[in-house]
Amino acid sequence: MSAWSSAHLRGSADPVAASGDRDGLPSDLVTAASLDDDTVAPADGVLVLIADLCRSLEAERVRYCHWKSNWKIKHWLSGDGDLDLLVDRADAQRFVGLIQGLGFKQAEPSSDRMLPGIHNFYGFDSQAGRFIHLHIHYQLVIGHDLTKNYHLPIEQLYLESVSRNGVIPLPAPELELIVFVLRMVLKHSSLESILRQRFSRSTSNVNAIEQELEVLEAKIDHARFAALLPRVVPGIDPAFFKTCEQSLRSGPTLRSKTLVRRELQRRLRTFARRPGAEDALLRAYRRATRTMSQSIVRRRARKRFVSGGLLVAVVGGDGSGKTTALNALGDWLSKKFVTKTFHVGKPPRSPWTLLTIVLLRMRRLLVDSAVQSKRAGGNDGPLAFPGYIQLVRWACAARDRCRL
């Protein structure tokens, strides 16, 4: 199985036992060690690995911040979601070396899902039994999830505004509000997103956008906001920004949301990574290929480790639970990573295999005894041709093993 063990992450020798059922592993495979009452998270709910990470980055004076969705920062610090970190590109080498020292491994998606200046690292908190996903940004790119076509060159401005009121540095709420509104208009005001929201029974996504908008608006200093807006996006005046804000609420019509998005794209064209027509074609192509991959091929989007995976062997006697443990481990890891399972025991025989076995036995019965004696005596040499039926038998056995 191409995966890692938690020993590579936080020193635990058993990723199955350490995970518990919080990441989807069946509870009957959790060992007593993972349920020890002495294993507790810090009082503020921050996972131990995340707290170690933040302390180490502060000690090494690495410039970074958690750049978005900070209204739920307590959830992210407790391991309930990804950590989206904006890191100064000048500190990139030190940052990577530091997190690798803490046991984080780089894992990236397929090439069509990779975005410029964005990398993924995973660590394992053995006390909480959870994977920690670091979504590392060296530049701020926004737009539709399929292409992220717009680059806002405000990374230094963002990092200069940070303050540390808790474990992790956070940007100024004025900057976060500006970028949030631009992100959401480009991301959720497209026709497909609006139609998905209209025909979906759940309104949680729309409500979450409005809630975050209200939280950020309550935090900002309006004078500072007015001064920062032209520095972030010179082509957007306060009146149009207010129009963008209103388009994110539940009142505006589909047509008005679409018009706002198109006008925003026009004003941001100097920040675009590719022309609008090219981006639209790329978006349509990726949407079609991903739909086909997920709906027809049934292939899920998972990540591969850049430095390679690990071979995990599950060995035991008959009836010892090897298959159960292997399936549980594979199900758990395959939610995030590319895994492969190999069965090296005796596979069940397919109908084709059974047919070739019958043909082989009939051949042995019908073949001339003199020919058998000659082959048994080795007169044909060590590389004697075994016969086409035997070759088919071996191919069927290999197919049976591959299908496991």
Side-chain angles (χ1 to χ4, degrees):
M1 178 176 296
S2 180
W4 75 49
S5 71
S6 59
H8 283 244
L9 296 172
R10 292 291 295 166
S12 172
D14 188 356
V16 179
S19 70
D21 59 355
R22 285 161 291 192
D23 275 332
L25 202 64
S27 59
D28 57 348
L29 292 178
V30 181
T31 64
S34 66
L35 302 178
D36 190 346
D37 291 338
D38 294 334
T39 301
V40 294
D44 54 4
V46 181
L47 295 187
V48 172
L49 180 57
I50 295 178
D52 291 345
L53 170 67
C54 295
R55 281 194 295 267
S56 299
L57 292 173
E58 183 179 14
E60 293 295 323
R61 298 184 180 277
V62 174
R63 297 181 71 211
Y64 80 104
C65 69
H66 190 275
W67 73 276
K68 67 175 184 176
S69 301
N70 290 313
W71 71 302
K72 286 190 173 182
I73 189 63
K74 291 184 178 180
H75 292 273
W76 315 146
L77 294 176
S78 63
D80 288 338
D82 305 342
L83 289 177
D84 289 281
L85 304 182
L86 174 64
V87 179
D88 190 346
R89 194 179 285 275
D91 293 336
Q93 187 172 357
R94 288 195 300 132
F95 175 83
V96 171
L98 190 149
I99 64 175
Q100 287 179 339
L102 292 172
F104 284 87
K105 306 289 184 181
Q106 186 176 359
E108 299 297 349
S110 57
S111 58
D112 66 305
R113 293 177 180 267
M114 295 184 68
L115 297 169
I118 301 177
H119 298 286
N120 297 271
F121 287 83
Y122 284 85
F124 186 77
D125 191 302
S126 57
Q127 291 193 13
R130 289 191 176 190
F131 285 111
I132 308 301
H133 180 194
L134 301 183
H135 210 197
I136 308 305
H137 300 250
Y138 297 117
Q139 60 186 33
L140 293 179
V141 289
I142 61 176
H144 195 284
D145 284 340
L146 292 172
T147 57
K148 299 290 186 186
N149 192 38
Y150 300 92
H151 170 217
L152 300 179
I154 57 170
E155 294 84 5
Q156 293 303 316
L157 181 62
Y158 228 79
L159 292 171
E160 289 168 2
S161 75
V162 301
S163 61
R164 184 187 291 271
N165 296 323
V167 174
I168 196 167
L170 303 178
E174 294 81 9
L175 283 173
E176 190 176 352
L177 174 62
I178 295 171
V179 176
F180 171 74
V181 171
L182 299 181
R183 286 196 304 118
M184 293 300 106
V185 171
L186 294 172
K187 180 178 180 180
H188 290 285
S189 294
S190 61
L191 179 60
E192 59 176 306
S193 299
I194 296 172
L195 292 177
R196 190 183 303 118
Q197 293 171 8
R198 291 292 173 90
F199 289 102
S200 174
R201 295 181 180 179
S202 173
T203 58
S204 59
N205 192 34
V206 179
N207 291 338
I209 294 175
E210 293 192 29
Q211 289 174 23
E212 184 168 358
L213 193 59
E214 292 173 359
V215 169
L216 288 172
E217 287 178 337
K219 289 183 177 181
I220 66 169
D221 178 276
H222 290 278
R224 188 181 184 191
F225 172 82
L228 284 172
L229 181 60
R231 295 181 62 187
V232 176
V233 275
I236 296 181
D237 55 87
F240 180 67
F241 185 85
K242 193 67 178 177
T243 302
C244 292
E245 263 189 81
Q246 294 300 322
S247 73
L248 296 176
R249 302 187 184 277
S250 53
T253 63
L254 171 62
R255 181 175 180 276
S256 63
K257 287 176 179 284
T258 303
L259 291 176
V260 170
R261 175 180 59 84
R262 289 178 179 174
E263 176 62 19
L264 179 59
Q265 289 175 331
R266 187 187 69 80
R267 298 194 184 202
L268 291 178
R269 64 184 180 275
T270 56
F271 300 103
R273 298 168 46 227
R274 61 181 69 87
E278 181 182 341
D279 185 63
L281 289 173
L282 178 61
R283 197 163 58 240
Y285 169 76
R286 289 182 174 175
R287 186 184 302 113
T289 55
R290 292 185 188 182
T291 301
M292 182 179 299
S293 176
Q294 295 171 3
S295 303
I296 301 176
V297 186
R298 301 291 182 182
R299 182 180 299 167
R300 293 183 295 175
R302 294 169 295 180
K303 297 181 176 65
R304 291 181 180 271
F305 293 109
V306 173
S307 59
L310 186 71
L311 183 66
V312 179
V314 179
V315 183
D318 292 341
S320 61
K322 299 187 300 297
T323 301
T324 302
L326 187 64
N327 290 341
L329 182 62
D331 291 344
W332 177 50
L333 293 176
S334 63
K335 291 178 180 178
K336 301 178 183 293
F337 313 112
V338 174
T339 62
K340 291 185 180 295
T341 304
F342 304 94
H343 189 285
V344 295
K346 187 176 181 181
R349 294 168 175 172
S350 67
W352 288 107
T353 304
L354 295 173
L355 177 61
T356 55
I357 290 174
V358 171
L359 292 175
L360 272 176
R361 291 180 179 176
M362 291 176 61
R363 177 177 175 271
R364 288 169 187 156
L365 291 173
L366 297 175
V367 78
D368 185 64
S369 59
V371 176
Q372 291 188 27
S373 299
K374 182 179 178 182
R375 290 182 175 174
N379 295 333
D380 284 352
L383 299 179
F385 182 62
Y388 289 107
I389 299 179
Q390 181 63 61
L391 293 180
V392 173
R393 168 70 180 93
W394 290 336
C396 288
R399 179 175 177 271
D400 292 342
R401 194 178 302 281
C402 183
R403 293 176 63 187
L404 285 176

